[in-house]
Amino acid sequence: MTGALAPTKPLTVADRCDRCGAQAYVRAVLVGGGDLLFCAHHGRKYAEALRSNGADIQDESARLTETPASAVDDDR
């Protein structure tokens, strides 16, 4: 994320990719207003083009590889 625009709220399971309908992990906030939501795959595919047009990218795709707290607690 570039920080050029005000921070946006975290993405939830209800947020869906505008290309394929999968869970969204990437938000592109457009310069002219509005935003686009993408799954991790489509976020990677379009991020460079969106950035070059001034979009601010909120990428939460790292959540896909995080270990849930409950899984860590189960190892005790």
Side-chain angles (χ1 to χ4, degrees):
M1 193 159 75
T2 66
L5 300 174
T8 55
K9 63 184 179 184
L11 294 165
T12 69
V13 70
D15 293 310
R16 310 311 286 178
C17 177
D18 290 328
R19 293 293 296 166
C20 68
Q23 183 174 348
Y25 288 94
V26 178
R27 175 183 282 124
V29 181
L30 307 175
V31 174
D35 59 5
L36 297 170
L37 301 178
F38 297 108
C39 63
H41 164 78
H42 285 114
R44 284 189 301 274
K45 183 174 181 178
Y46 298 115
E48 186 176 330
L50 289 162
R51 275 193 191 99
S52 70
N53 285 297
D56 191 39
I57 307 296
Q58 173 188 353
D59 185 348
E60 299 181 9
S61 59
R63 292 180 13 214
L64 290 165
T65 58
E66 290 178 350
T67 303
S70 61
V72 173
D73 292 340
D74 290 344
D75 291 340
R76 292 182 188 179

